[in-house]
Amino acid sequence: LAAENKCSKFSSNLAVIYLVYYAITLGISLIFQLPFFQISTGNFGGEIEMSSSWGSTLGIFYAGHFLVSFIAICKIIDNDKKPEVNDLFRGFENYGNVLGVYLLQSIYTALWTLLFIIPGLIKTYSYAMSLYILDDNKNKPINECITESRKMMDGHKWELFCLDFSYIGWYILCAFTLGILTLWVEPKHQYARYVFYLKVSGKGLAMEQKASEESKEQNSEVNIEEQSKE
């Protein structure tokens, strides 16, 4: 409900931002399907496989950065401010650290997946808060972000899985609209995940307490002014 209310205020801006994001990632994918990037193995199927491999490898160098950009956009929305298209590139400002965290958690997850799919899925949720932690502590050591996420998610992995699963119906509808509905569904999903992070990290409670204290101070000042007028 919180995701619905917050995102609905800026639905048009968010749709444009996500449209630009999908256009960029699709463009990169199409570029790496060009014959220039295909290495001939004397087999057409081999060429397609090699081309796909190039595209997947390149994704490592920008996927995590866009995720951090979406986190930054969620913060902007949370402050009731309007996000802009330039905010889509905020994750690239801390390029090296974001790449390090994303690459390392991908390696850890891949190694766990070698054991079986379920351990890999569990570790995916264990490391899910790594980039959120890095965004709040931009100079935090890479491995510490992953370790802190693992500790933070202890006892909360199923909760996040249920949150993600609750959007499955929306994504099915997105398929029927040729992906157009994704421009409105994905921002809400990302913001819901951000709210989840605030909850498990304790930052949400701290923000509520701060807002409550500021509200009390403002009410106190108003009462003093009214008493002085009397």
Side-chain angles (χ1 to χ4, degrees):
L1 185 61
E4 289 279 343
N5 294 337
K6 284 281 187 179
C7 292
S8 61
K9 295 181 183 178
F10 312 105
S11 58
S12 299
N13 292 74
L14 290 170
V16 171
I17 290 170
Y18 275 78
L19 180 62
V20 172
Y21 163 70
Y22 287 123
I24 291 172
T25 53
L26 178 61
I28 293 172
S29 177
L30 291 175
I31 287 171
F32 275 84
Q33 294 296 324
L34 295 175
F36 177 79
F37 294 101
Q38 296 179 9
I39 300 176
S40 177
T41 60
N43 181 293
F44 183 74
E47 292 180 9
I48 295 299
E49 184 179 345
M50 181 61 71
S51 175
S52 176
S53 176
W54 272 106
S56 300
T57 303
L58 185 67
I60 294 172
F61 295 97
Y62 64 79
H65 303 82
F66 278 125
L67 288 174
V68 173
S69 295
F70 293 139
I71 294 170
I73 289 170
C74 288
K75 287 183 176 180
I76 293 169
I77 294 171
D78 203 48
N79 290 321
D80 285 320
K81 295 180 180 178
K82 185 172 70 173
E84 304 292 346
V85 174
N86 341 351
D87 297 319
L88 183 58
F89 305 99
R90 287 198 174 199
F92 292 84
E93 295 172 0
N94 191 21
Y95 189 87
N97 288 342
V98 173
L99 177 62
V101 170
Y102 186 77
L103 183 60
L104 194 57
Q105 75 177 60
S106 297
I107 291 171
Y108 286 163
T109 303
L111 291 174
W112 279 101
T113 305
L114 289 176
L115 297 177
F116 200 60
I117 294 175
I118 300 300
L121 181 62
I122 291 172
K123 287 302 175 180
T124 297
Y125 280 93
S126 289
Y127 307 144
M129 299 293 106
S130 299
L131 290 174
Y132 291 85
I133 293 167
L134 177 65
D135 189 60
D136 280 339
N137 307 271
K138 300 189 186 303
N139 296 316
K140 198 177 189 71
I142 293 169
N143 208 43
E144 282 188 25
C145 292
I146 295 174
T147 301
E148 189 173 326
S149 174
R150 180 171 51 78
K151 293 177 180 177
M152 186 181 293
M153 289 300 291
D154 188 25
H156 296 287
K157 290 185 284 292
W158 177 250
E159 190 178 345
L160 181 57
F161 174 80
C162 290
L163 171 63
D164 289 340
F165 191 77
S166 69
Y167 280 84
I168 192 78
W170 282 108
Y171 286 114
I172 291 172
L173 286 175
C174 290
F176 285 107
T177 63
L178 302 178
I180 296 174
L181 189 60
T182 310
L183 301 177
W184 288 270
V185 174
E186 187 65 23
K188 293 177 181 178
H189 187 186
Q190 289 289 348
Y191 185 74
R193 272 183 153 241
Y194 174 70
V195 172
F196 175 87
Y197 167 69
L198 293 179
K199 175 185 173 183
V200 295
S201 65
K203 292 182 180 296
L205 181 60
M207 290 170 66
E208 286 178 7
Q209 290 176 341
K210 182 179 179 181
S212 178
E213 289 175 2
E214 289 177 350
S215 178
K216 288 179 180 178
E217 288 178 1
Q218 290 176 354
N219 290 334
S220 177
E221 290 175 359
V222 170
N223 290 333
I224 291 172
E225 288 179 2
E226 289 178 350
Q227 289 176 1
S228 62
K229 288 179 180 179
E230 293 176 355

